[in-house]
């Protein structure tokens, strides 16, 4: 690993800025470290050190088995061990956010034009590696429900860079332990104050989070509920989201939603797509036809890689922040951002690079 990072350092001066990604699709049933090995292999090709990493994997990837050579048998590996193995591959100062979800949406490695895949069953995972990008700041945040106070202290938004930040453009929000008492109310306390027309909000409810290296690991609650996420700030960032509600149930209506997203005119170069879908959608919702929404996205955005997950609730709405950062068809009514049985599609353009 040390040799790898020294080689990366030698290449960094002649490297151009780019976002890299690593994917591991449906490894063998006795293999819980495919994402770790895929990340190690891909880092050998990366020409710039990552400053922020978002990785998402399904629960089986983190609770699978590994071969124990000393005992000549497979043993259970817990999620903390897998998360630690991933983090050790990255620089110490790198911000790492890791999530566990019921299903994965991923574009396989190699090219942004590869066909994105909805992996609803079977082991899968991916990691997005963000380098330092001129004019763009990406940071992680975490709000945990305080059992002693029913009202969330909104001064924490400013501390996390989510208020009084004129360059804030996109906030990806992920609620965890949504089954806990008070979790939905707490999520409303986080989302409602951030519901501003000039900011894109998108995300969903996940199983749990396994990495948040900007914090003391011991401070991560086991059974508490809360919200983690990534905030993207920078004057060059453009973004848009569309909501596919329950009525979107066939190829025609799915493509109509993608046409709305296409009409936002977000530049496709240096752009990432995110898909946050309900576990009740996918092939069950589309009458056994698999990959419907990812295929519809690829039809209108053939060169934009798509990532995301199937979760337990969705965050987002139809919202467009264009080049002059004015919401189209703006009104004074607050958008409804929390949904179930829907899909949220999001584009994030990180600006042009030299």
């Amino acid at each position: 690993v040390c040799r790898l990072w020294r080689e990366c350092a030698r290449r960094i001066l002649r490297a151009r800025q780019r976002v890299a990604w690593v994917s591991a699709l449906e490894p063998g049933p006795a293999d819980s470290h495919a994402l770790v090995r895929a990340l190690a292999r891909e880092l050998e090709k990366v020409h710039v050190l990552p400053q922020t990493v978002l990785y998402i994997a399904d629960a089986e990837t983190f609770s699978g088995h590994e071969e124990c050579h000393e005992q000549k048998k497979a043993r259970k590996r817990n999620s903390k061990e897998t998360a630690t193995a991933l983090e050790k591959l990255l620089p110490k100062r790198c911000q790492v956010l890791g999530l566990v979800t019921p299903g994965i949406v991923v574009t396989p490695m190699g090219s942004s034009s590869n066909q994105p895949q909805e992996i609803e069953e079977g082991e899968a995972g991916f990691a997005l590696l963000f380098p330092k990008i001129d004019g763009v700041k990406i940071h992680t945040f975490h709000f945990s429900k305080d059992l002693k106070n029913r009202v969330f202290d909104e001064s924490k938004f400013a501390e996390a860079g989510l208020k009084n930040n004129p360059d804030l453009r996109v906030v990806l929000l992920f609620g965890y332990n949504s089954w806990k008492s008070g979790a939905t109310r707490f999520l409303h306390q986080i989302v409602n104050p951030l519901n501003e027309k000039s900011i894109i909000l998108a995300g969903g409810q996940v199983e749990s989070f396994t990495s948040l290296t900007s914090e003391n690991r011991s401070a991560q609650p086991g059974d508490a509920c809360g919200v983690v996420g990534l905030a993207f700030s920078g004057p060059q960032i453009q973004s848009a989201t569309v909501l596919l509600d329950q009525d979107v149930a066939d190829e025609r209506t799915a493509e109509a939603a993608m046409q709305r997203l296409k009409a936002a005119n977000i530049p496709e170069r240096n752009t990432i797509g995110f898909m946050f879908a309900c576990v009740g959608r996918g092939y069950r919702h589309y009458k056994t036809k698999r990959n419907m929404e990812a295929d519809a996205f690829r039809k209108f955005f053939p060169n934009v890689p798509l990532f995301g997950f199937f979760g337990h609730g969705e965050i987002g709405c139809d919202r467009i922040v264009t080049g002059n950062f004015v919401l189209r068809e703006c009104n004074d009514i607050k958008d409804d951002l929390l949904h179930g049985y829907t899909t949220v599609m999001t584009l994030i353009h990180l600006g042009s690079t030299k």
Side-chain angles (χ1 to χ4, degrees):
V1 172
C2 292
R3 290 197 300 272
L4 168 62
W5 290 121
R6 284 198 295 270
E7 177 62 22
C8 288
R10 285 196 293 270
R11 299 178 182 179
I12 191 169
L13 293 178
R14 54 189 172 86
R16 63 183 181 87
Q17 297 169 338
R18 69 183 182 93
V19 177
W21 72 91
V22 180
S23 62
L25 303 178
E26 300 189 80
D31 183 0
S32 66
H33 263 331
L35 184 59
V36 178
R37 291 198 304 275
L39 180 58
R41 289 194 302 269
E42 185 65 11
L43 284 173
E44 295 177 356
K45 311 171 190 175
V46 172
H47 291 184
V48 62
L49 296 178
Q51 289 200 336
T52 305
V53 172
L54 169 66
Y55 74 81
I56 303 179
D58 75 292
E60 284 300 312
T61 297
F62 273 84
S63 62
H65 293 80
E66 69 162 353
E67 191 71 25
C68 182
H69 297 291
E70 295 178 0
Q71 300 178 5
K72 303 294 184 181
K73 63 180 180 179
R75 74 173 182 90
K76 196 80 168 179
R77 172 172 286 274
N78 64 44
S79 60
K80 183 176 290 187
E81 290 177 304
T82 305
T84 299
L86 278 167
E87 292 168 18
K88 285 182 177 179
L89 296 172
L90 300 164
K92 289 185 178 180
R93 294 183 180 181
C94 183
Q95 297 183 102
V96 184
L97 175 58
L99 307 173
V100 175
T101 61
I104 300 295
V105 179
V106 61
T107 300
M109 287 180 293
S111 171
S112 59
S113 61
N114 282 346
Q115 187 71 26
Q117 298 181 25
E118 300 175 16
I119 311 295
E120 301 179 61
E121 300 168 350
E123 299 178 30
F126 67 85
L128 278 169
L129 288 71
F130 296 91
K132 180 179 180 180
I133 303 173
D134 292 339
V136 175
K137 180 180 179 181
I138 306 173
H139 68 270
T140 60
F141 60 86
H142 177 208
F143 303 124
S144 179
K145 185 177 183 296
D146 188 344
L147 298 179
K148 299 179 181 179
N149 300 312
R150 287 178 57 84
V151 179
F152 179 74
D153 181 4
E154 293 191 11
S155 66
K156 294 181 180 180
F157 287 131
E159 296 173 6
L162 302 179
K163 284 289 186 181
N164 305 320
N165 179 1
D167 287 334
L168 182 63
R169 298 289 180 259
V170 182
V171 181
L172 299 183
L173 297 156
F174 310 109
Y176 62 89
N177 287 350
S178 58
W179 54 271
K180 295 287 290 185
S181 175
T184 300
R185 183 175 182 273
F186 181 75
L187 183 58
H188 275 283
Q189 290 181 333
I190 302 300
V191 170
N192 291 345
L194 299 176
N195 191 0
E196 300 178 8
K197 300 294 185 179
S198 60
I199 301 173
I200 294 294
L201 297 178
Q205 298 272 21
V206 302
E207 296 277 357
S208 62
F209 77 95
T210 55
S211 294
L212 191 62
T213 54
S214 62
E215 292 191 354
N216 185 336
R217 183 180 298 277
S218 63
Q220 296 183 20
D223 293 327
C225 61
V227 175
V228 294
L230 288 177
F232 295 76
S233 301
Q236 67 195 39
I237 296 174
Q238 298 186 47
S239 185
T241 58
V242 294
L243 176 70
L244 286 67
D245 61 23
Q246 296 183 35
D247 294 335
V248 177
D250 55 35
E251 186 174 8
R252 179 185 61 82
T253 52
E255 291 185 358
M258 301 309 154
Q259 286 178 320
R260 297 203 311 275
L261 191 60
K262 187 75 172 180
N265 292 320
I266 301 297
E268 294 187 24
R269 182 173 173 79
N270 299 321
T271 294
I272 307 168
F274 287 97
M275 173 179 163
F276 306 115
C278 177
V279 291
R281 292 182 71 87
Y283 72 90
R284 299 175 186 86
H285 181 66
Y286 288 102
K287 299 178 181 178
T288 71
K289 186 169 184 179
R290 295 180 180 272
N291 229 62
M292 175 74 79
E293 292 175 346
D295 287 345
F297 180 89
R298 173 57 65 239
K299 181 176 180 179
F300 290 90
F301 302 96
N303 295 303
V304 176
L306 182 67
F307 305 94
F309 59 76
F310 290 89
H312 303 295
E314 301 76 59
I315 302 171
C317 64
D318 276 33
R319 182 172 290 181
I320 300 169
V321 178
T322 59
N324 58 1
F325 309 116
V326 176
L327 180 75
R328 298 180 182 181
E329 301 178 4
C330 184
N331 56 60
D332 295 329
I333 301 174
K334 287 287 188 180
D335 293 306
D336 184 8
L337 293 173
L338 301 183
H339 311 277
Y341 213 59
T342 64
T343 297
V344 174
M345 287 286 189
T346 305
L347 293 175
I348 302 178
H349 172 64
L350 299 174
S352 60
T353 58
K354 297 179 181 179

